[in-house]
Amino acid sequence: MWRASRRHMRERTSFMRRFNHILLGLLLALLALPPLRASAHATLLESDPPSNAIIADAPPTARLRFTEPLEPTYSRVVLASAESGPIATAPSRVDPDDPYVLLLDLPPLAEGVYALQWRTLSTADGHTMTGTVPFVIGDPSAADAPLTLPPAPPNPLAAPPAADMATRWLILLGLSLAVGGLLFRLLIWRPAETVPAAAARFDQRARRIEIAGAALAITGTLGALLVASATAEANPILFVVTSRVGLMLGLRLTLSAILLAILWTSAPMRLTGGLIVGGGALLTISLLSHSASSPGAGFMNGLMRAIAIGFDWLHLLATSAWIGGLAALLPALAAARQAQPAQRSRSLTHLIARFTGVATGAVVILAATGTFAALQHMSAVSELWTTTYGRALLIKLGLFGVLLLLGGFNRWYLHPRLSRSGGESRLRVMQRSIGAEIGVGIMLLLAVGALTASTPGRAAAAQGPGTTHTARVGSVQLSLQVLRSDVAGDIYAVTAYGLPQNAQPEAVLRASMPAHHEDVQELRLERVEPNRWGARGAL
């Protein structure tokens, strides 16, 4: 028994040494890199004509620049008049020399109020965005142009689409079970450590979990493809062929189906082939994530984007090794119960020692890559509680902490007692504890689904056009936008998020300069849109 323990300790030390080498390189790379900034979602950065501009003549071509590269087939802008509605033009197009720019040739326009209504599909993260660029031709004071408010600042606490969140959760859960089970076989499970009948039983139960995981990944990816194509108003098959987003989803669907076929067979290359295909499916998630949406072109931006995608992929692999490995550990413990007491103790020591080494490495990778992603997608600590992304991250971190506590309880309390006696009652306690870990892990993946479906904190907290001030009163989030103009007075817009359903407030701005002994000036705002008020004036 003493020799067996020493052998297991040497195996564990060898595994930990390999993980330490990998993690040291990863941490050094992280320290050498400046924080990346990811915009996430193709939102409008600037336009010609500018939003709410008052111009004498329209430019021959309207140019709209966005924060992410655009899908040419599914990104468009149309022209509309406030009086007569849509105006016929040639179809818009993405600039062939700059995928961040959307172009629309404009006909000669008479005096009046117009709007460029745009819709984008990002090639980076697959999200769809819409918006409007209003502008006025002529003298608005003479034409008495109606007030058009600037685009509202994003609601930082907007809930992510339920369908998007659900499909992402299914994909993450399914691939974590499948890939994690295969990693468990490669790094932890050794059939020689238990009796042949028990090893066969483990193989049967673990294979069912892996096959179920691949089936969940197929279901989730198919749902994601249907949701994305419906949002883009396209046929799903045509969407796969004509867009990068569709191509990535189609590739993930294909890889998941191949993974299912591999897991169903008993081919000699089942383990290696499954890991290669499953790892490729996980990579398609990273290629269509917030990490793939860092703005800008050029070699350095491309290199930084590739590094961010690589770290995101490592994060997914580590998640699979930990949570998927936990799901495989349960049938492994059940197999160990079939052995004689002396062999059972050795098997348990072997399984838990090796799993602890792999899980420890996975935790360190998750912490390092998670910190990198937080620096990339968030700009202030306050975004943790003022944005949906930050709140989902807090929930994820809380569940991550619960997993660490449960893992510590298993490793430092239950494992030593099982190693000494291998008692049936303690083994059942260990299995129940691991079952609780798996339940927490499934909830953690749901939080990750919400996290990846939400606008990152940095972008959610970004201000709209003009000068923006925000405030919070109870459950209501308020923003005041001021667009300066030297022609017909500044434009003031107030937006309220979280108002009670039946509330009908009035909006009044009061401004004063006490240092100059000026009286209070008052500007009443009219309701222009739901939960939005505006006025043109000079305070």
Side-chain angles (χ1 to χ4, degrees):
M1 182 67 184
W2 178 75
R3 291 180 180 176
S5 297
R6 289 193 62 185
R7 175 168 59 84
H8 291 308
M9 186 61 68
R10 285 197 300 270
E11 289 180 352
R12 182 184 173 196
T13 303
S14 174
F15 268 87
M16 288 307 299
R17 187 181 296 114
R18 295 175 200 169
F19 275 111
N20 287 338
H21 289 164
I22 295 172
L23 297 176
L24 179 60
L26 175 65
L27 292 173
L28 288 175
L30 285 172
L31 291 174
L33 289 172
L36 295 178
R37 295 193 176 190
S39 57
H41 308 357
T43 55
L44 185 66
L45 188 62
E46 59 183 8
S47 65
D48 179 25
S51 180
N52 276 286
I54 302 171
I55 54 179
D57 297 293
T61 301
R63 296 176 59 89
L64 286 75
R65 176 173 291 278
F66 295 86
T67 56
E68 292 181 9
L70 308 175
E71 289 281 7
T73 308
Y74 301 101
S75 299
R76 60 181 179 269
V77 57
V78 296
L79 177 66
S81 167
E83 295 181 355
S84 57
I87 298 175
T89 65
S92 62
R93 63 194 184 277
V94 174
D95 191 336
D97 299 322
D98 191 346
Y100 293 79
V101 173
L102 196 56
L103 303 174
L104 177 67
D105 294 330
L106 300 179
L109 297 175
E111 289 190 356
V113 181
Y114 300 90
L116 297 170
Q117 299 170 336
W118 55 265
R119 176 193 183 94
T120 61
L121 178 64
S122 167
T123 64
D125 62 12
H127 286 284
T128 299
M129 298 292 289
T130 59
T132 302
V133 177
F135 63 97
V136 176
I137 295 179
D139 182 358
S141 59
D144 193 22
L147 177 66
T148 305
L149 299 184
N155 181 5
L157 292 175
D164 190 14
M165 184 174 67
T167 56
R168 290 171 185 269
W169 173 62
L170 285 177
I171 294 167
L172 287 169
L173 177 59
L175 289 178
S176 292
L177 291 175
V179 176
L182 294 173
L183 288 173
F184 185 90
R185 292 175 184 270
L186 177 66
L187 300 175
I188 299 166
W189 177 250
R190 293 292 184 270
E193 291 294 329
T194 186
V195 296
R201 183 173 298 179
F202 163 79
D203 183 72
Q204 184 182 35
R205 292 180 177 178
R207 178 177 294 190
R208 288 175 183 170
I209 296 174
E210 293 157 9
I211 290 174
L216 284 176
I218 291 173
T219 304
T221 304
L222 186 59
L225 178 59
L226 293 175
V227 169
S229 59
T231 304
E233 300 175 357
N235 178 280
I237 297 176
L238 186 64
F239 186 69
V240 170
V241 176
T242 57
S243 69
R244 178 183 179 273
V245 176
L247 177 63
M248 287 292 105
L249 291 173
L251 179 59
R252 189 185 306 159
L253 184 62
T254 303
L255 291 173
S256 299
I258 295 173
L259 178 61
L260 178 62
I262 291 174
L263 294 174
W264 205 282
T265 66
S266 300
M269 297 298 290
R270 177 177 179 273
L271 178 58
T272 304
L275 282 174
I276 292 173
V277 175
L282 287 173
L283 181 60
T284 63
I285 298 177
S286 299
L287 289 170
L288 204 59
S289 67
H290 295 322
S291 297
S293 60
S294 53
F299 174 76
M300 285 306 299
N301 281 323
L303 177 62
M304 300 294 275
R305 189 179 298 114
I307 292 171
I309 291 171
F311 285 158
D312 187 80
W313 184 57
L314 276 178
H315 195 85
L316 294 176
L317 284 174
T319 300
S320 300
W322 190 9
I323 296 177
L326 281 169
L329 183 58
L330 272 183
L333 292 177
R337 293 176 62 181
Q338 306 301 314
Q340 296 298 321
Q343 189 180 11
R344 178 192 304 170
S345 180
R346 290 196 301 271
S347 298
L348 291 173
T349 300
H350 161 81
L351 284 171
I352 298 174
R354 292 179 73 89
F355 181 78
T356 299
V358 172
T360 301
V363 166
V364 177
I365 291 176
L366 289 170
T369 54
T371 301
F372 180 85
L375 293 174
Q376 180 187 8
H377 301 310
M378 303 187 71
S379 58
V381 175
S382 60
E383 292 168 12
L384 285 172
W385 55 86
T386 58
T387 66
T388 301
Y389 183 92
R391 292 183 177 184
L393 180 57
L394 283 178
I395 294 172
K396 176 188 172 183
L397 291 176
L399 293 172
F400 184 78
V402 173
L403 279 177
L404 288 178
L405 291 175
L406 287 172
F409 173 75
N410 292 338
R411 175 64 185 89
W412 304 112
Y413 180 78
L414 291 179
H415 176 222
R417 288 159 176 77
L418 276 173
S419 300
R420 288 195 296 268
S421 64
E424 188 74 17
S425 61
R426 290 196 176 99
L427 183 55
R428 283 197 295 268
V429 174
M430 171 72 81
Q431 289 175 311
R432 286 196 292 267
S433 179
I434 291 174
E437 280 192 77
I438 294 172
V440 174
I442 291 173
M443 291 190 292
L444 184 145
L445 292 178
L446 182 58
V448 173
L451 190 73
T452 55
S454 303
T455 303
R458 186 186 297 274
Q463 296 182 345
T467 301
T468 303
H469 303 275
T470 61
R472 190 168 190 86
V473 183
S475 61
V476 180
Q477 177 83 18
L478 296 170
S479 71
L480 167 65
Q481 295 168 271
V482 183
L483 269 71
R484 303 304 306 274
S485 173
D486 295 329
V487 180
D490 302 330
I491 293 178
Y492 298 85
V494 171
T495 305
Y497 298 110
L499 279 175
Q501 187 173 3
N502 297 323
Q504 296 180 341
E506 295 181 354
V508 179
L509 292 181
R510 294 188 179 92
S512 64
M513 297 182 67
H516 294 266
H517 306 288
E518 292 189 9
D519 294 333
V520 174
Q521 299 182 44
E522 185 175 286
L523 181 65
R524 290 193 169 271
L525 283 66
E526 61 180 279
R527 186 176 180 273
V528 181
E529 302 170 10
N531 297 332
R532 299 199 76 199
W533 297 260
R536 185 181 283 115
L539 291 177

